[in-house]
Amino acid sequence: MRLVHRPLPLFHRGCLSKLLANGKAASALSANSVPACRRRPLTTSCGQNSAQPVIGPDTVELLGHTHQRDDITNVTPRILEMVGRNLHNQTHHPLWLIKERIKAHFYSSYTKRGNPLFSVHDNLSPVVTTEQNFDSLLIPSDHPSRKRGDNYYLNRTTLLRAHTSAHQRELVRGGLDAFLLAGDVYRRDEIDSSHYPVFHQMEGVRLFSNHELFSNVQNGDDLSLFEDGGRRTPQKQHTHSLEAVKLLEYNLKHTLTSLVTHLFGQDLEVRWVDCYFPFTHPSFEMEVRFQGDWMEVLGCGVMEQELLNSAGAGNKVGWAFGLGLERLAMVLYGIPDIRLFWSRDERFLKQFRVKDVQQPIAFQPLSKYPPLLNDISFWLPDSKEREGDSGRETLTVNGERESEEGRETFTVNDFYELVRSIGGDLVEKVSLVDEFTHPK
């Protein structure tokens, strides 16, 4: 494993100077190195003060609720510190600015009888059930996205949401036809300047009845959302008519292209890439040109009809999208590192205190320091040491090690979590350089 330490301006200057005084300190940080300014009382998703989260031997206390621990529990104290920060709701935070700009665009562009067509929901708790996070979105029980190595589980039935789509079915079931949803999401991920285990998404959903979709089409009364005896193809689901899918796809891409050009201007380079999501078909990703490279900023597609049927909206069709607020803010404001969004440094935050959310902002770097590279090698015990007599170990394609019984025993994300718990955001990147299996 290779660790890159780049002391970013995420801590107060006094904390930084203490670390930089001795080069060895950067690779031997302890949990106590995190300044007291980062250990403040948390705020629940409803905006009320809550006690500090606690991971006990048998329970996890979070946002006023107690969750029983089991063999799946893998949430860490460092991650729990971030639950309730709600950066997207902190006035003048760059993520709040992006959210407000998106809201303003949808409010002004889409109205119904003089009122905004889209409702906005940004206060839903990030603690969800596995049923909400996976089953409600038609994600199969053996899908890789459910793995313990990719999520933060409180226990087998509860986790920190991995996407805002976890709330999609409940809002549709509540009778909403058009809504935006913003919130923090949690995924165990590698460490670098554009990936972080906590980030923020904004979800958008719009449903159409037969009349709403075809009202502006010539002879629209003769067209239908659904067809009998159809088959699933790369272009459509088996229950949908091709005319309905093409209109939905056009409306979706036009809506999102209009949004990003409103945010970034007509000169922004955009491209669409076909992809796969369990809960939409057909599905697409939008990529924008950023610092010479193409960067994915959102995924979208035509909602699976089975999802709408289960939510009580089987007579309608719809589209959905999910975008990353951090990635949009990085492009829009020129913020070079995703960890800066968690900074409490006034030199960072004051740059975004503007009177008008539409006001252009160009991020000014606070300081620069040379990186420190550290290579770390370690042995993993064999399966018998780790699993008793469970049998031989196999190395899967994605680098996860499993016993013959199929239980996940080690993933590279386990090591990333260890690094994160010690080095925090001073560690810029961790990368796997090489693997070796001894013949004996």
Side-chain angles (χ1 to χ4, degrees), residues 100-110 255 258-259 262:
E100 292 300 309
R101 292 187 65 174
I102 294 173
K103 281 172 53 178
H105 172 73
F106 274 89
Y107 279 175
S108 62
S109 301
Y110 307 97
T255 299
S258 173
L259 171 64
H262 166 75

Side-chain angles (χ1 to χ4, degrees), residues 7-8 11-23 25 369 426:
L8 294 166
F11 304 94
H12 289 299
R13 183 176 298 276
C15 302
L16 275 174
S17 61
K18 193 173 182 180
L19 292 172
L20 293 172
N22 184 341
Y369 298 95
L426 290 180

